[in-house]
Amino acid sequence: MENVFSHHISGISFMTQLSLLRVTVRRLKFQLLAHRWWDEQGEYSALHSMNDIRVPFIRDTVLNMGNTYQRGSPLSGIKILDVGCGGGLLSEPLGRLGASVTGIDPLEENIRVADQHKSFDPVLAKRIQYKSSSLEEIVEESVEMFDVIVASEVVEHVADLEMFIKCCCQVLKPGGSLFVTTINKTQLSYILGIVVAEKIAGIVPEGTHDWEKFVPPEELEQLLEANGFSVKTVNGILYNPLTGSWSWIESTSINYALHAVKSGSQAETSQTEPLSEMESEQCSATAGTNV
């Protein structure tokens, strides 16, 4: 009998198909919760409070890289891609800082919620655009268009992490920044991130995460460095469910935030070596929802 693990359909391995199926199941769960994005006491309360550290992290890092500061709009002139934007929880504060933000998410329900919420603020309505699309579609339309890419609570959901990184590199300008927040793959992260957060405390909906897809910072750094990025910062972050707040810590054993910069040499590679058709197809499955 033919080994099932070596069996391929349409050029995609069985294991890749299984991974894509798991991503699809999680998307369906996110779809059911789409209307709850802006409930600060609901399922996404931890993401609301995460803005207290991830927004300054992005803002200060971008400003420290030499961009001209404009009072009241420190990120004015900066083009940001928010991958897996969900209901726009991170896109909106970045827009308020003056950035031009494009938020993408594969779920139309999430985009409808995000569009509706930004419409309450005329300033944000001009600075933010949302698209129900895959990262692959952004690659086709927006090669080297963005100064900053944010993938917050996304990489632990993607079907193919290396393809996700390649797609990000394609749309990022040379010298542009990639910001990631995600969960380490440790015994402690399983206990706190799965057992406590999902099954006991209900901080996030049960089934949101798959521990097997959690990403150690060392693995993420290696993939980034191998695909034209230079990793600048890796910091640990910790959520306190009692206070509902996040803080910076030295340990990266649970959650962590990472900043990487696209090198100029990769820009040359991206111009001469575009993604193959199969890579683009796999990329289209990686624009998950940040949760």
Side-chain angles (χ1 to χ4, degrees), residues 161 165 215-235 252 256-260:
L161 182 54
I165 292 171
V215 185
E218 299 82 7
E219 177 183 337
L220 183 55
E221 287 185 64
Q222 289 175 0
L223 286 172
L224 288 166
E225 297 282 354
N227 286 280
F229 285 95
S230 175
V231 176
K232 303 298 183 181
T233 305
V234 181
N235 292 323
T252 60
Y256 63 95
L258 177 148
H259 170 234

Side-chain angles (χ1 to χ4, degrees), residues 7-209:
H7 184 60
H8 286 64
I9 300 177
S10 300
I12 301 178
S13 69
F14 172 80
M15 294 305 294
T16 300
Q17 293 178 60
L18 182 60
S19 180
L20 292 173
L21 178 61
R22 289 173 176 170
V23 170
T24 301
V25 171
R26 289 190 186 86
R27 286 180 180 174
L28 291 175
K29 292 181 179 179
F30 297 149
Q31 183 175 347
L32 295 175
L33 293 170
H35 66 289
R36 303 294 300 274
W37 276 107
W38 289 96
D39 180 358
E40 295 188 19
Q41 306 303 318
E43 288 86 347
Y44 298 115
S45 60
L47 286 180
H48 281 275
S49 62
M50 184 183 277
N51 280 351
D52 292 339
I53 63 169
R54 60 181 176 177
V55 173
F57 176 53
I58 296 168
R59 178 199 63 202
D60 296 346
T61 302
V62 170
L63 292 178
N64 287 336
M65 293 181 68
N67 292 282
T68 302
Y69 174 79
Q70 180 176 330
R71 187 174 182 179
S73 300
L75 297 184
S76 178
I78 303 296
K79 293 183 178 181
I80 297 179
L81 175 64
D82 184 5
V83 180
C85 64
L89 302 193
L90 183 54
S91 294
E92 286 201 9
L94 294 174
R96 289 193 182 94
L97 290 173
S100 297
V101 183
T102 298
I104 63 170
D105 197 284
L107 295 182
E108 293 183 2
E109 291 80 2
N110 287 345
I111 296 302
R112 280 197 289 268
V113 170
D115 267 327
Q116 182 182 29
H117 198 270
K118 78 165 183 179
S119 68
F120 299 138
D121 187 331
V123 174
L124 292 182
K126 294 179 180 179
R127 293 178 180 172
I128 302 174
Q129 64 171 332
Y130 293 114
K131 296 181 180 179
S132 177
S133 65
S134 67
L135 185 55
E136 177 262 341
E137 290 169 326
I138 293 299
V139 169
E140 294 176 349
E141 302 168 358
S142 312
V143 174
E144 294 189 353
M145 176 178 288
F146 297 98
D147 302 289
V148 172
I149 296 177
V150 178
S152 186
E153 307 308 291
V154 168
V155 300
E156 67 270 24
H157 300 290
V158 301
D160 187 322
L161 182 54
E162 186 166 17
M163 287 302 103
F164 178 84
I165 292 171
K166 288 182 177 180
C167 288
C168 287
C169 191
Q170 289 283 309
V171 302
L172 193 61
K173 294 178 181 179
S177 290
L178 171 65
F179 293 92
V180 175
T181 67
T182 189
I183 311 174
N184 198 348
K185 189 176 182 180
T186 62
Q187 291 182 341
L188 186 58
S189 72
Y190 177 80
I191 294 171
L192 296 180
I194 303 291
V195 178
V196 175
E198 295 188 14
K199 301 181 183 297
I200 298 177
I203 297 171
V204 294
E206 186 170 352
T208 295
H209 295 111

